[in-house]
Amino acid sequence: MTMTDVEAVQPGRAVPEEPLGATRAERLSALAQQHGALVTLVIAVVIASLSFDTFLTGDNLENMALSSAFLAIVALGMTFVIVTGGIDLSVGSLFALGGVLAAWGSRYGTVVALLLPLAVCGLIGLVNGLLIARSRLAPFIVTLAAMLGARGLLLAITDEGSTTYLVDKSTFFATLGQGKLLGVGVPVWITLALFVLGAVVLRRTRFGQYVYAVGGNEDAAALMGAPVARTKIGVYVVSGLCAGLAGALNAAWLVSGVTILGSGMELEAISAVVIGGTLLTGGFGFISGSLVGVLLLKVIQNVINQIGSLDSAYQQVVSGAFLAVVVIAQTWLGRRRRVW
Amino acid sequence: MSELTLGRSGVDRDRALRLLQDYGVYLGVAVLLLVNIAFTPHFLSTENFRTQAVQVAPVLIVALGMALAIGSEGVDLSVGSVMALATSLISLYLGYGAWIALIAALVGGVLVGLANGALVAFIGVQPIVATLALMVAGRGLALVLLPQLKDVRDPGLRALGTGDVLGIPYVVLIAAALAVLVAFVVRRTTFGRRLLAIGDSRPAARLAGLPVRRVLVLVYVLSGALAAVAGVLATARLTASDPTSLGTLMELSAITAVVVGGTPLTGGRVRIGGTVAGAVLIQLLTATLIKHDLPPSWTQIAQAAVIVLAVYAARERGKR
């Protein structure tokens, strides 16, 4: 058995394996790469709750949890894509498209409201995957085209954005967005459930093994018999489904399908995944990190809002600078362990 | 004998395919021109050509920088934000005179380019992520400097945006001059050759002793500076600074123009003529759809289809 086999067959250990003689510095840098986001999140929360009385209030936490939930589902799908070494720029458009389709479909019942966005967004994900895996086009360009195309489709079905479809508040579908369970919004529960499911799929299933294997070394993965193309197609379908579902839940929460949503969301999702410790080069990453990444982004946004005197423009400056810092740290920490 | 013929026809087909890939974009422009001449009323007027050319100029200027970045096997997502930053800086420094404002805008673009280049060349961050960080931060910075739209009533800037020489707008002349300049840089200078070598294979370029880092930094500085120029021209034409919306989605248009023009995303090759034609193609396509009362949604879908088609056609070359 070669090294590659060992790495790929043990998904729980798909992290580039520490050699037996790993020095303390190497182990520390690996730890920092894995849990840096979590440590930063804890520090940020502590500072925020000490600085603002309004931070640790029920209302504020609830708001943050809800607004994190939708981004988190998108980031979940994005994690699968990035672990294979790809990227999906279409998620923002698919999020908006999913929301509008769900709002339109909600008049025919919850099943249609959920299945319609899942079907359409999953199909666009499938087309992305086919072009990337079978025709070997650059993921960046394919999903960029899908981003434009899906936004165009969205405008076409809403009369150039002038029609807004409303969700009847009394339906079960609206409950999926507005309801509460044990005092916590239903979307938050759904998000948590999806993350558990995602982690299990990535760590404990054959598909998850292949995802790591393809991202680690595509040629090696093909040689050992992994279905490279099918795995790649799979992750783009997963990403499309996640974006569509997040959009649908968001529409249920807002009780309407808002066409202008989701622009820039792909950047937020990619940022969250990268901040969570997943390498953009593929082959290494984890689901829980992406959740932490989303929470960290939302806490930073919330703190900036709390400061009040600073407008939202600073939010972007801080987010961008923060992303740069995280990526620099990752690159430095990662370089020590990578062969160049 | 029959084998020989077969072989030759194979070569012919190969060559035909390659020709189509290399010159398909010009063919596309020609077809669109003919279609418009035949079916679009008032298409053949000086005024219309002027309008189209003025509209395509900023996209083209940004695309020139993008072509350099893509040629080095990178990409620059921050160009739209650099345009916004440039427009904010103009309003901020216009009190000191138009020239100072122009220089401030350019310096802003160069600084963003330096930051991009440093992240890519010295720290080894992937271009898409490095420039993504500056895309987010740059737009924020532009809004911090100038929180809302502001009129720019400088007569010099207004002249730059609306004036012309012999009927050709300054904006178009500047874009054309920059295209010639960048084409010269790519083809005739050491920097251009090094850039292509690095895009072809960075390890090989490094082994050959090329100053990889310096060249990469310069690539992103040039891209930033060109985006800033585009921001200045757009500001001059609108006679207003609008950091919220100026340059949004510009990175997509620029990448599309470059890719449609036949520059492979895998680097090592830059086609400036193709990039010019690519920008014109997108502009004509949009104008055609709008003139025939097709809604903007269809323009987006059409643009998406063109991107995929162009990349699909270019794919064969990579395989060979």
Side-chain angles (χ1 to χ4, degrees):
Chain A
M1 232 187 187
T2 65
M3 267 308 285
T4 325
D5 286 339
V6 175
E7 277 177 24
V9 169
Q10 299 180 307
R13 288 267 163 227
V15 175
E17 198 66 56
E18 295 302 326
L20 283 173
T23 64
R24 175 178 294 196
E26 281 170 336
R27 261 178 274 137
L28 266 181
S29 75
L31 264 181
Q33 202 167 340
Q34 284 181 38
H35 301 295
L38 191 57
V39 174
T40 318
L41 176 64
V42 172
I43 294 173
V45 167
V46 169
I47 292 176
S49 36
L50 291 178
S51 313
F52 306 102
D53 297 338
T54 42
F55 184 80
L56 273 188
T57 58
D59 276 353
N60 192 42
L61 290 181
E62 193 183 324
N63 263 330
M64 275 201 296
L66 265 176
S67 66
S68 303
F70 309 112
L71 177 61
I73 297 175
V74 175
L76 173 67
M78 184 72 82
T79 313
F80 278 84
V81 173
I82 292 184
V83 170
T84 63
I87 200 145
D88 189 349
L89 299 181
S90 67
V91 290
S93 295
L94 292 183
F95 179 80
L97 182 62
V100 168
L101 287 172
W104 180 81
S106 66
R107 67 188 69 174
Y108 303 104
T110 306
V111 175
V112 179
L114 284 178
L115 280 187
L116 187 64
L118 284 178
V120 174
C121 295
L123 190 69
I124 296 176
L126 179 69
V127 173
N128 280 339
L130 283 171
L131 286 169
I132 290 163
R134 299 264 183 233
S135 305
R136 308 200 132 262
L137 304 187
F140 176 71
I141 286 293
V142 171
T143 57
L144 186 111
M147 168 191 188
L148 276 179
R151 187 67 71 177
L153 191 62
L154 168 69
L155 288 175
I157 59 176
T158 55
D159 302 323
E160 304 307 312
S162 62
T163 310
T164 305
Y165 298 108
L166 296 178
V167 176
D168 186 354
K169 270 195 176 186
S170 61
T171 56
F172 176 68
F173 178 62
T175 324
L176 282 180
Q178 297 219 312
K180 280 191 182 182
L181 202 66
L182 304 173
V184 177
V186 173
V188 179
W189 289 112
I190 296 177
T191 307
L192 289 176
L194 285 174
F195 266 81
V196 171
L197 180 69
V200 168
V201 169
L202 200 54
R203 293 283 173 183
R204 296 274 174 260
T205 65
R206 186 159 291 242
F207 174 67
Q209 293 175 20
Y210 291 148
V211 169
Y212 279 111
V214 167
N217 185 335
E218 204 176 312
D219 296 331
L223 282 175
M224 65 170 228
V228 175
R230 229 188 309 147
T231 306
K232 281 192 181 176
I233 295 169
V235 295
Y236 288 97
V237 172
V238 167
S239 179
L241 289 175
C242 283
L245 179 64
L249 292 178
N250 189 64
W253 181 52
L254 296 173
V255 289
S256 67
V258 182
T259 52
I260 54 164
L261 286 178
S263 68
M265 197 176 205
E266 62 286 343
L267 304 184
E268 272 193 295
I270 294 167
S271 303
V273 172
V274 171
I275 289 169
T278 298
L279 288 184
L280 269 158
T281 38
F284 175 82
F286 22 64
I287 296 289
S288 58
S290 300
L291 186 58
V292 174
V294 169
L295 292 176
L296 191 50
L297 282 181
K298 289 292 174 185
V299 168
I300 290 174
Q301 283 177 12
N302 193 266
V303 167
I304 289 168
N305 285 341
Q306 301 252 358
I307 295 172
S309 63
L310 296 175
D311 53 82
S312 68
Y314 281 97
Q315 199 167 296
Q316 289 176 302
V317 179
V318 174
S319 301
F322 190 70
L323 178 63
V325 170
V326 168
V327 177
I328 291 170
Q330 259 190 16
T331 317
W332 269 339
L333 293 171
R335 179 173 293 174
R336 206 175 296 188
R337 300 185 298 136
R338 232 180 287 140
V339 188
W340 278 66
Chain B
M1 187 63 202
S2 67
E3 261 181 48
L4 229 160
T5 327
L6 248 176
R8 186 170 294 162
S9 81
V11 170
D12 280 351
R13 217 190 53 181
D14 231 36
R15 194 197 280 161
L17 203 65
R18 189 178 295 225
L19 277 176
L20 190 67
Q21 282 158 15
D22 281 351
Y23 299 103
V25 62
Y26 301 107
L27 190 69
V29 170
V31 168
L32 269 177
L33 276 176
L34 288 176
V35 166
N36 273 300
I37 290 169
F39 298 109
T40 310
H42 314 302
F43 181 79
L44 271 184
S45 71
T46 333
E47 196 44 48
N48 180 47
F49 275 103
R50 232 180 108 105
T51 315
Q52 305 292 341
V54 167
Q55 278 179 4
V56 85
V59 182
L60 172 58
I61 294 173
V62 173
L64 292 173
M66 186 68 79
L68 296 180
I70 291 179
S72 73
E73 210 183 353
V75 74
D76 187 351
L77 298 184
S78 69
V79 286
S81 297
V82 169
M83 286 179 73
L85 195 59
T87 203
S88 291
L89 286 169
I90 286 180
S91 276
L92 216 61
Y93 282 94
L94 204 55
Y96 304 100
W99 283 106
I100 301 289
L102 291 187
I103 290 168
L106 269 179
V107 168
V110 167
L111 285 180
V112 172
L114 270 179
N116 280 329
L119 283 171
V120 171
F122 286 95
I123 300 180
V125 177
Q126 285 178 1
I128 183 173
V129 193
T131 57
L132 175 74
L134 275 133
M135 172 188 187
V136 178
R139 177 74 59 181
L141 201 58
L143 285 164
V144 167
L145 293 176
L146 186 75
Q148 71 260 327
L149 190 134
K150 190 178 172 191
D151 281 342
V152 175
R153 291 182 205 283
D154 185 78
L157 274 178
R158 182 184 290 260
L160 178 66
T162 54
D164 56 41
V165 185
L166 301 171
I168 306 172
Y170 286 134
V171 180
V172 177
L173 283 175
I174 293 172
L178 286 173
V180 172
L181 186 70
V182 173
F184 177 80
V185 165
V186 170
R187 290 197 181 185
R188 298 267 181 257
T189 64
T190 319
F191 165 72
R193 279 202 305 276
R194 287 173 170 169
L195 157 69
L196 296 182
I198 290 168
D200 214 24
S201 165
R202 213 195 279 198
R206 195 172 283 146
L207 285 175
L210 299 186
V212 174
R213 290 177 167 172
R214 210 176 346 133
V215 172
L216 283 177
V217 169
L218 194 52
V219 164
Y220 288 96
V221 166
L222 283 175
S223 177
L226 285 165
V229 171
V232 168
L233 294 183
T235 310
R237 203 160 64 80
L238 296 170
T239 60
S241 286
D242 181 8
T244 316
S245 62
L246 188 73
T248 47
L249 293 183
M250 183 53 89
E251 64 286 344
L252 301 190
S253 303
I255 293 170
T256 311
V258 174
V259 170
V260 169
T263 299
L265 278 168
T266 43
R269 201 154 179 259
V270 172
R271 303 190 62 221
I272 295 300
T275 301
V276 176
V280 171
L281 181 82
I282 296 163
Q283 173 63 32
L284 273 179
L285 187 68
T286 313
T288 311
L289 294 173
I290 289 173
K291 285 239 172 74
H292 289 272
D293 284 336
L294 276 157
S297 54
W298 285 98
T299 322
Q300 291 194 358
I301 294 174
Q303 197 176 341
V306 168
I307 298 177
V308 172
L309 270 175
V311 183
Y312 194 84
R315 164 195 74 122
E316 301 293 334
R317 182 186 292 128
K319 267 188 174 173
R320 197 176 294 136

